[in-house]
Amino acid sequence: FIAQTRICTQNKEMPSAKVFRNYSKTFSKPRRPFEKVRLDAELKTVGEYGLRNKRELWRVQFALNKLRNAARVLLTLDEDDPKRIFEGNAILKRMRTYGLLEADKESLDYVLALTAEEFLERRLQTLVFKLGLAKSVHHARILIKQRHIRVGKQIVNVPSFLVRVETQKHIDFALNSPLGGGRPGRVKRRRMAQKAAAAGGDDEEEEE
């Protein structure tokens, strides 16, 4: 009997905590992976906006497709439909907040005409380069990843961060960054110490 109970306890599985999470897709691959015209266009866009890989472009296109589908469904409803009024105004307000639509464009038809390039123009990486804080769009990505850039008082190290219109004027170097008047970097501090040591040695030789 004791042996049977030991076997039963050994075969009994340990309790495990299950984690239930909803993982949604963030991008979708093209249906035709080897279409030459699309490959050339994607490569040009990736180089123009300094993207890490094509997946970043696919992510923008995926978000744009979801937005278009939502606008297309709302356009099938009546103009007086409460759902179309409420959700349509929310979409238009969000597009104006991020500078994707002008204030006078008050129709969902303009949402259908949006392109991925208009979204890429609102990325922090693109705006840092266009504001003259970086020498190139690739340099802008490095500055952001190395935490040299802030939006308002918050340091942002995500190059794909979408900047709102009202916060675009607050993009600047971080206060603790060497580029923004903060403490010099490690290499510069070492060179300054070497110069100070060399200057001290020259003074001693002159005294002798």
Side-chain angles (χ1 to χ4, degrees):
F1 178 74
I2 296 173
Q4 289 179 352
T5 54
R6 285 179 181 175
I7 293 171
C8 291
T9 54
Q10 288 176 358
N11 294 334
K12 191 176 181 180
E13 295 181 358
M14 294 293 292
S16 61
K18 292 185 179 180
V19 179
F20 297 98
R21 291 181 181 174
N22 292 325
Y23 292 101
S24 58
K25 291 176 64 176
T26 58
F27 70 95
S28 62
K29 294 182 180 180
R31 292 182 179 179
R32 299 180 178 177
F34 303 111
E35 192 176 3
K36 186 178 186 304
V37 178
R38 182 189 52 78
L39 287 173
D40 294 339
E42 285 180 349
L43 195 61
K44 180 182 177 183
T45 305
V46 167
E48 183 180 353
Y49 291 97
L51 305 181
R52 181 186 176 190
N53 48 33
K54 291 184 179 180
R55 188 180 300 170
E56 289 194 343
L57 177 59
W58 295 341
R59 192 166 62 218
V60 173
Q61 291 173 345
F62 183 77
L64 180 59
N65 289 336
K66 287 180 67 175
L67 188 65
R68 281 180 185 159
N69 291 334
R72 200 174 288 117
V73 170
L74 292 176
L75 284 171
T76 59
L77 304 176
D78 295 332
E79 293 184 0
D80 299 333
D81 193 289
K83 181 178 180 181
R84 174 171 176 173
I85 295 173
F86 181 76
E87 296 185 7
N89 290 336
I91 290 175
L92 292 173
K93 182 181 178 182
R94 196 189 337 164
M95 295 299 100
R96 288 193 296 269
T97 301
Y98 287 101
L100 297 166
L101 286 180
E102 300 293 336
D104 56 342
K105 295 182 178 179
E106 294 285 344
S107 174
L108 290 172
D109 296 322
Y110 294 106
V111 177
L112 298 178
L114 288 174
T115 60
E117 284 73 16
E118 291 175 321
F119 274 79
L120 294 173
E121 288 287 341
R122 298 303 305 170
R123 295 173 87 243
L124 179 61
Q125 179 181 355
T126 308
L127 292 176
V128 166
F129 169 58
K130 292 197 170 182
L131 290 173
L133 299 177
K135 299 176 183 178
S136 67
V137 70
H138 305 286
H139 183 217
R141 187 181 188 93
I142 293 171
L143 292 178
I144 295 169
K145 293 297 288 183
Q146 294 181 354
R147 301 174 62 85
H148 289 294
I149 302 297
R150 64 183 170 94
V151 180
K153 297 181 180 179
Q154 182 67 43
I155 293 177
V156 182
N157 63 343
V158 181
S160 61
F161 177 79
L162 286 181
V163 182
R164 300 185 180 188
V165 176
E166 58 188 19
T167 59
Q168 180 175 343
K169 57 187 176 182
H170 300 299
I171 298 175
D172 202 354
F173 290 116
L175 298 176
N176 60 351
S177 169
L179 303 174
R183 185 188 180 195
R186 173 174 52 85
V187 177
K188 189 172 183 180
R189 291 200 308 269
R190 187 174 62 205
R191 288 176 180 172
M192 290 169 61
Q194 290 175 355
K195 286 182 180 179
D202 294 339
D203 293 339
E204 290 178 0
E205 290 178 359
E206 290 177 359
E207 290 177 359
E208 291 177 356

